[in-house]
Amino acid sequence: METRLEIGMKQFKWVRRVDLCLAISICLLFVLVSTANAKQAETGNVPGRTMARQATKEKQLWSTTDHSKHQALQATFTSGEEITKACLSCHSEADSQFRRTIHWTWLDTSSVESEKKLGKSGHSVNNFCISANNWQDKSCSSCHPGWKGNDGEINCLVCHSQRTINWNEAFEDYQVFAASDDPEDMELAKEIGKDILISAQSIGRPTRKNCGSCHFYGGGGDGVKHGDLDSSVTKPNKVLDVHMGVDGQNFQCTRCHTTRLHNIAGRIYSKPAAPDRRSLIQDDLTPKIMCESCHSSQPHTPGSKVNDHTDKVACQSCHIPTFARVNPTKMWWDWSKAGNTKNGKHYKKKGAFGKYDYLSYKGEFKWDKNVKPEYFWFNGSVHTLTVKDTIDPSNVVKVTSPVGSREDDNARIFPFKVHRGKMPYDKVHKTLLAPMLSGKDGYWTTYDWQRAFVKGMASFNLPFSGEYDYVETSYVFPTTHMVAPKDNVVDCSECHNRKQSRLINLAGFYMPGRDSFKLIDIAGWAVIIASLGGVILHALGRIFTNGKRKEG
Amino acid sequence: MTVRKMINVYLYTRYERFWHWLQMVLIFLLLVTGLEVHGLFTLFGFKAAVEIHNYVGLTWLIAFAFFVFWVFTTGEWKQYIPTTKKMFAVIRYYSYGIFRGETHPVPRRKDAKHNPLQRLTYLSLAALLLPVQMVSGLLYWGYNSWADWGLAGLSLGIVALVHIVGAFAIFAFIIVHVYMTTTGHTILAHTKAMITGWEEVDEAVEIEDWERAGQKA
């Protein structure tokens, strides 16, 4: 007969085997669950991408007309105005439509009736060339889409010609050579005329190059203003912009900036780019200006944590890791340093990235590349200071600032380029000063600030006390282009990070990984250390006393 | 020193052992990934840590439901009824008697698995600390659904605070618990018992009636 002990030992072996099997299968289960999950994420067929692909499936945009065959465009054009007249002979409403848009007025339509007019041609200021001085600073209107600044005929070609040339130069040359009797000059005139004609006949929807001819060079040069729009976006690759990449979707600007009656969707000062974030499924005629329009508000794998973020974090915050990834962008402009001379002469100095970091007529600059954005709550509106607003010179003056808060349902955490610098202000009136820069009274001609301020403020019928100083200012640009491919997105840990979170400045909420309760952590670790210390002491006690007992 | 006669006693059933080691794996994974999410170190990466933590946490929640079922259907819950009898004798043993080679004042038997100190510890663990940790964890996990659950007023900071306090408490328990397994008649006696189910105990000792968790059918 077996003893109890023997039965026990038999059972013991059998039970051990079962236990081992169980333990191994549990471990396997975990590995399988976690890898299966990872695989699903890698295939990349997330709903948001599928939807967007469907929305843009018809890649080849088509037209029912070839402008080179139009009777109205078979003429010899000697001025821009003549071309516009030819355009309007068919497109009879284009002129009146276009003159009502912000592209022409440079005014935020919602503020036209207000005492403070928002817009480049209004009272708004920026910390670059500060102001267009009510159209009186002519250097600013070089980007105005008319043949002669803000007056006269509209310029259809700047946006619609697929073969852009320097028209003003071409017309001047044409007129000179055409008036000559020299056969060689007449031959040249013929060639220039042909060039102009081909340009006028190459008509289509605006391309990245058309829009970029102004928007890439705002502030007086490539990449000066926007960090996410510069000449590198004319022919970007997918890595620079996943939508516009010529090796990918090759989107033109108008693909997202949808247009009605020449009004192009996009952010306009106090007016958000879109009032809501509806997808094409909810409203098939909604502007495609928001990411959500094509990608929906739950674009990632169903059930994934990133989908939970879309109510508070803008797509751009994770999908644009840095801006100015190819060309540098201007980050600092200090007007207080303007006017310096070297050996009695005004001078220029090049610095990093081959860009000027000092120009006597503009001051000191700082440029940067691959810049991490700064993040703020943003509901689509930007608050803009005007020359009429009083400022507090003891603090950094926010010339523009994002509107929104965590409590605002329309607000998201959004990435911005923040351009900082020093700007002149009136010490008595406590307002920012808008100097006249170009022209015979302009600072760039006279290097005389007093004269430039008097002339510049007079353009608004605003007073200048005669006393000025400089104040540090900031200016924000929402970052929404240069969307990176999915493999280059911002990693979770760049925000969920104790020490160097990208969202370090956003307060008022608890964020896992970034936030902690110091006292709880200290108390917690104290308990852990006390427990460890306790068991170590206890163990030492046992070792010590047991040894003693054996000896005894 | 007298030679004690030792006998093998089947203390832990298969399910009980399975539950113990499963819970060990789950809690270990939760602790490691939880501390990573809390920003202490980088091991899996934040995203993977969160995903593992969520999956394991939900697994634990489901597995715990089976444990609750087991505890009540088997009558094992009686092993967790707290008592103060011999409590001080046990405390005295661990803080004094153990160093003098005394025998444990409350020996183990199938129907008396836990000494008074263990009863209190495991009761507060299974009935209080672990449920608090599970509920706060479930809330944390469901953060985006709070409005739908009618909990719009809840603050993530408070839930996180409770969850972190619970984590530290469990961590401290584990340290002491693992150490206490070495206090059997050999260093690995208790560990072996939790693996095989069988523990060697002193045959001579009598168990008092109050120590028994009730007779099973």
Side-chain angles (χ1 to χ4, degrees), chain A residues 8-228:
Chain A
M9 288 314 286
K10 267 188 181 172
Q11 262 181 312
F12 166 84
K13 276 175 189 162
W14 182 77
V15 162
R16 188 155 62 177
R17 227 169 288 144
V18 172
D19 277 343
L20 198 67
C21 289
L22 271 174
I24 291 170
S25 47
I26 289 163
C27 293
L28 271 176
L29 201 69
F30 276 113
V31 175
L32 283 175
V33 166
S34 49
T35 51
N37 198 46
K39 264 181 197 148
Q40 195 192 355
E42 272 163 26
T43 55
N45 281 326
V46 295
R49 187 177 300 118
T50 309
M51 278 180 60
R53 286 259 158 85
Q54 284 165 359
T56 56
K57 202 160 51 178
E58 196 62 46
K59 278 182 193 164
Q60 203 60 54
L61 288 170
W62 52 278
S63 169
T64 52
T65 195
D66 176 354
H67 281 79
S68 68
K69 294 178 180 165
H70 286 258
Q71 201 56 49
L73 294 177
Q74 311 299 331
T76 307
F77 296 115
T78 59
S79 72
E81 285 83 353
E82 284 176 28
I83 299 175
T84 298
K85 279 199 181 101
C87 300
L88 297 179
S89 69
C90 292
H91 301 277
S92 58
E93 307 309 306
D95 181 71
S96 65
Q97 282 172 8
F98 187 64
R99 282 175 194 273
R100 279 198 281 267
T101 68
I102 193 170
H103 269 110
W104 184 263
T105 64
W106 285 9
L107 280 177
D108 177 1
T109 40
S110 61
S111 75
V112 167
E113 301 301 318
S114 142
E115 191 199 332
K116 280 183 251 177
K117 289 188 173 62
L118 299 180
K120 287 180 214 300
S121 73
H123 299 111
S124 293
V125 285
N126 62 54
N127 61 4
F128 296 86
C129 290
I130 302 177
S131 167
N133 298 92
N134 210 4
W135 294 116
Q136 290 179 34
D137 202 326
K138 296 297 175 195
S139 70
C140 297
S141 38
S142 64
C143 263
H144 191 262
W147 286 109
K148 287 197 176 68
N150 62 317
D151 308 317
E153 291 290 354
I154 59 169
N155 180 348
C156 308
L157 298 186
V158 69
C159 302
H160 289 288
S161 173
Q162 318 285 290
R163 197 173 159 277
T164 46
I165 56 169
N166 187 338
W167 286 289
N168 285 334
E169 217 170 76
F171 288 128
E172 260 174 49
D173 290 351
Y174 177 80
Q175 276 157 17
V176 170
F177 293 128
S180 163
D181 292 334
D182 185 350
E184 249 180 60
D185 284 354
M186 284 164 77
E187 194 59 37
L188 270 174
K190 219 173 156 184
E191 261 175 45
I192 295 168
K194 204 175 152 193
D195 222 25
I196 291 171
L197 191 64
I198 294 171
S199 262
Q201 291 175 339
S202 310
I203 299 301
R205 296 178 183 86
T207 62
R208 290 189 300 269
K209 202 178 168 195
N210 291 114
C211 304
S213 69
C214 287
H215 292 280
F216 296 166
Y217 300 93
D222 194 8
V224 170
K225 274 192 172 175
H226 298 277
D228 59 336

Side-chain angles (χ1 to χ4, degrees), chain B residues 164-197:
Chain B
I164 290 162
V165 170
F168 277 123
I170 292 172
F171 196 174
F173 161 78
I174 290 169
I175 292 167
V176 177
H177 176 74
V178 169
Y179 170 71
M180 293 296 267
T181 62
T182 66
T183 59
H185 76 275
T186 66
I187 296 281
L188 290 173
H190 291 336
T191 310
K192 199 186 100 191
M194 196 43 94
I195 294 171
T196 63

Side-chain angles (χ1 to χ4, degrees), chain A residues 4-5 7-9 11-12 14-16 18-19 22 26-27 30 33-34 37 41 304-309 311 406 491-493 496-499 510-517 520-525 527-529 531-532 534-542 545-546 549, chain B residues 1 6-10 14 17-18 22 25-26 29 35-40 46-47 50-52 54-56 59 94-95 98-102 140-141 143-144 156-158 160-161 164-165 167-169 171-173 175-176 179 182-184 187 192 194-198 203:
Chain A
R4 253 174 100 178
L5 193 71
I7 298 169
M9 288 314 286
Q11 262 181 312
F12 166 84
W14 182 77
V15 162
R16 188 155 62 177
V18 172
D19 277 343
L22 271 174
I26 289 163
C27 293
F30 276 113
V33 166
S34 49
N37 198 46
S304 63
K305 192 67 203 163
V306 272
N307 268 345
D308 287 348
H309 283 64
D311 59 337
R406 186 166 177 266
D491 190 74
C492 307
S493 62
H496 294 277
N497 188 305
R498 188 68 67 81
K499 290 189 182 81
Y510 182 88
M511 197 174 144
R514 183 194 71 169
D515 298 328
S516 63
F517 304 95
I520 294 296
D521 278 3
I522 291 168
W525 289 114
V527 169
I528 301 300
I529 289 164
S531 307
L532 269 173
V535 299
I536 288 168
L537 284 177
H538 199 272
L540 287 174
R542 276 165 66 205
T545 53
N546 282 352
R549 201 178 46 159
Chain B
M1 221 167 101
M6 304 300 277
I7 53 159
N8 265 317
V9 174
Y10 189 55
R14 202 182 308 149
R17 283 172 280 138
F18 160 73
L22 173 68
V25 172
L26 296 179
L29 284 170
L35 288 174
E36 176 166 9
V37 170
H38 194 48
L40 220 74
F46 187 87
K47 189 180 176 213
V50 168
E51 278 169 3
I52 295 171
N54 286 347
Y55 274 95
V56 175
T59 307
Y94 281 117
S95 52
I98 192 168
F99 301 119
R100 316 224 351 138
E102 289 175 11
Y140 207 143
W141 173 76
Y143 172 64
N144 270 67
L156 183 63
I158 301 221
L161 181 115
I164 290 162
V165 170
F168 277 123
F171 196 174
F173 161 78
I175 292 167
V176 177
Y179 170 71
T182 66
T183 59
I187 296 281
K192 199 186 100 191
M194 196 43 94
I195 294 171
T196 63
W198 293 85
E203 193 188 31

Side-chain angles (χ1 to χ4, degrees), chain B residues 132-151:
Chain B
V132 162
Q133 198 64 355
M134 286 172 190
V135 168
S136 61
L138 189 69
L139 284 173
Y140 207 143
W141 173 76
Y143 172 64
N144 270 67
S145 311
W146 285 1
D148 298 338
W149 296 349
L151 298 168

Side-chain angles (χ1 to χ4, degrees), chain A residues 458-506:
Chain A
S459 69
F460 295 108
N461 293 320
L462 288 171
F464 168 52
S465 69
E467 285 182 55
Y468 69 92
D469 200 354
Y470 296 91
V471 63
E472 194 174 327
T473 63
S474 64
Y475 190 96
V476 295
F477 291 93
T479 301
T480 191
H481 306 97
M482 297 190 181
V483 175
K486 65 179 189 325
D487 298 330
N488 301 355
V489 297
V490 175
D491 190 74
C492 307
S493 62
E494 292 201 36
C495 296
H496 294 277
N497 188 305
R498 188 68 67 81
K499 290 189 182 81
Q500 44 206 359
S501 170
R502 285 186 182 230
L503 305 184
I504 199 144
N505 293 322
L506 295 179

